[in-house]
Amino acid sequence: GFIDTHVHVMGFGSSLKWINLRGVESIKEVKERLKKRVQEMPKEKWILGRGWDQDRFMERRYPTRWDLDEASPNNPVVFNRVCGHICIVNGKALELAGITRETTPPPGGQIDKDPKTDEPTGILRENAMDLIWKLVPEPSEDELIQACSLACQKAVEAGLTGVHWIIYSPAEIRVIQKLRAQNKLPLRAYVLIPVEYLDHLIDLGLCTGFGDNMIRIGGIKIIMDGSLGARTASLHEPYSDDPKTKGMILHSQEELNALVMKAHKAGLQLAIHAIGDQAIDMTLAAIEKALTEISRSNHRHRIEHASVLNEMLIQRMKKLELIASVQPHFIVSDFWAVDRVGPSRARWVYPFKTLIKEGVWTAGGSDCPVEPISPLLGIYAAVARESFPEERITIDDAMRIYTVNAAYASFEENIKGSIEAGKLADLVVLSHDPRTISPSKIKDIKIGMTIMGGMIVHG
């Protein structure tokens, strides 16, 4: 059975009811989809959407509050970019949040402003998004259960028998437990917990691995930077297509060192979101410091995404015995990578073959809803990649990162990840053998059956 090492399950389930803007090719089309939803909604009710990418727009620019105001003057609107690290909001949402030209962004956030008028454009980056999202009504527990149940069903339909489930709050853990109690949890959950709740875990004496074969406490999730698509991933050198910026860092080195040490000392695995080479460098420095002060074998700390690498960073990852938790479908979605960071750095964006060759444990995920939930699409992207084909990997390696390696990333390689006597009967039946068909056709393979613990959960 496939395992996805990086899924925002509740966000995925909730977004299935939002306006889908993935693949939209113009701001005009964004407005048309918004107008249609406005006609279906009561006045003043929040309208949510996600998936837009300014690099796909024929207008070749970001949407603005004024674009959205044309379609929705009365309903507050929040549209997350495909990466989830930028949102665009309309004037009504800015008004409700009290965001004006005088508003100071929170640490680790940015409020874009019109260079002529200094008025907010409606684009909010990283932590500034919280100024809006804290106003959006929280879903009820029943709505959370419905969203997570729907996401889990989509996951098993894609051949997944387990996910590394990134939660937003403790309420989501209660939802996972309720789904299990109601026999509605069709896959296994390794729970990644935001660093905001680190002290709570320590106070309770909980560490990585607490739980059972269905639900287990996983790692502590720390976010160090943003995304390449939003130009908020932190780079050592400026962006090639926007030399005014090197991205954003969300924690200072001192803050990161303290958080890493606290989690490491408590016996918790770390899962640190670091995309740019600067963020990865800082992450490695913090882990190096923690391991120097408190030696701990088999820690299996992880870097989530690990996108912009180089030979030196890879060697440091190897020496520290870190896991690269990667999302191969980014290869397809980040078609603009060479423009964004230039050809010399782009050569080291998603260097999966080098990571595997150098002995860095590499586990695969989707980052859904940022990318599609399907592991077969990730396998296809890694095997059939056209950009920098020297980093193409074999079909066997690609399948391992979603099975054996993914199980290793959660300390569970002895009970799952391969079909062996004594292991859990988590299996997926495919319409074709991915090892015998053309790489270009891997994405078309159908899931015939998904089996979790010997029970058919799909098919």
Side-chain angles (χ1 to χ4, degrees), residues 1 3 161 188-190 209 211-216 300 403-404 406-408 410-427 453:
I3 302 165
T161 55
R188 305 184 194 279
Y190 183 74
D212 59 22
N213 292 344
M214 280 300 297
I215 306 171
R216 209 181 283 275
R300 302 195 195 182
T403 53
V404 175
Y408 180 87
S410 58
F411 300 87
E412 296 174 296
E413 70 275 15
N414 291 328
I415 58 170
K416 61 184 181 182
S418 59
I419 303 172
E420 296 180 63
K423 289 192 174 183
L424 299 168
D426 295 351
L427 312 167

Side-chain angles (χ1 to χ4, degrees), residues 114-349:
D114 184 285
K116 295 180 180 176
T117 66
D118 217 28
E119 286 290 331
T121 65
I123 290 286
L124 306 176
R125 301 173 189 261
E126 301 300 340
N127 291 348
M129 296 169 65
D130 295 340
L131 299 174
I132 293 291
W133 277 106
K134 68 182 181 182
L135 301 177
V136 178
E138 289 282 337
S140 67
E141 187 172 88
D142 284 345
E143 288 171 329
L144 279 177
I145 289 173
Q146 185 181 29
C148 291
S149 180
L150 180 58
C152 287
Q153 188 55 41
K154 295 288 186 185
V156 296
E157 288 172 8
L160 290 164
T161 55
V163 294
H164 295 191
W165 185 319
I166 301 170
I167 66 162
Y168 294 95
S169 73
E172 211 168 332
I173 294 182
R174 291 195 292 273
V175 166
I176 299 171
Q177 292 171 328
K178 286 200 171 187
L179 286 173
R180 180 184 185 177
Q182 297 168 7
N183 290 319
K184 293 180 180 176
L185 186 65
L187 42 66
R188 305 184 194 279
Y190 183 74
V191 183
L192 300 179
I193 297 172
V195 71
E196 293 91 320
Y197 303 103
L198 172 58
D199 288 338
H200 296 285
L201 280 181
I202 293 173
D203 290 343
L204 291 169
L206 300 179
C207 61
T208 295
F210 177 82
D212 59 22
N213 292 344
M214 280 300 297
I215 306 171
R216 209 181 283 275
I217 295 293
I220 289 293
K221 174 89 183 295
I222 301 175
I223 301 178
M224 269 304 289
D225 65 347
S227 75
L228 283 176
R231 296 189 187 85
T232 52
S234 180
L235 304 177
H236 276 300
E237 300 298 329
Y239 280 82
S240 296
D241 57 359
D242 188 359
K244 298 188 299 296
T245 184
K246 294 181 181 179
M248 300 175 68
I249 278 290
L250 305 187
H251 295 282
S252 69
Q253 187 71 63
E254 292 71 24
E255 290 170 346
L256 180 63
N257 289 351
L259 292 172
V260 166
M261 178 58 76
K262 184 182 285 190
H264 178 72
K265 186 177 180 181
L268 287 156
Q269 182 190 43
L270 286 151
I272 303 178
H273 167 123
I275 286 182
D277 53 2
Q278 167 77 358
I280 295 169
D281 193 0
M282 293 174 68
T283 297
L284 295 175
I287 295 173
E288 284 164 347
K289 187 175 190 301
L291 285 170
T292 298
E293 295 185 22
I294 301 176
S295 177
R296 190 175 126 204
S297 62
N298 204 32
H299 53 77
R300 302 195 195 182
H301 295 322
R302 302 161 42 156
I303 297 184
E304 305 299 306
H305 312 305
S307 302
V308 185
L309 291 166
N310 56 50
E311 291 173 287
M312 186 177 296
L313 292 175
I314 291 171
Q315 289 304 314
R316 288 171 69 191
M317 289 174 67
K318 177 182 178 180
K319 183 178 180 182
L320 293 169
E321 299 180 338
L322 299 185
I323 294 168
S325 172
V326 302
Q327 297 71 44
H329 201 261
F330 283 167
I331 296 168
V332 176
S333 299
D334 295 0
F335 59 91
W336 32 254
V338 172
D339 292 334
R340 195 68 95 240
V341 297
S344 61
R345 282 184 294 185
R347 159 66 185 86
W348 293 100
V349 172

Side-chain angles (χ1 to χ4, degrees), residues 1-34:
F2 293 124
I3 302 165
D4 188 317
T5 60
H6 193 109
V7 188
H8 305 270
V9 176
M10 192 270 284
F12 174 38
S14 299
S15 70
L16 292 171
K17 295 186 176 181
W18 298 357
I19 300 177
N20 181 10
L21 300 170
R22 178 180 284 277
V24 168
E25 296 181 349
S26 70
I27 293 173
K28 179 183 178 184
E29 188 178 348
V30 170
K31 292 192 284 188
E32 288 171 354
R33 293 194 184 190
L34 176 55

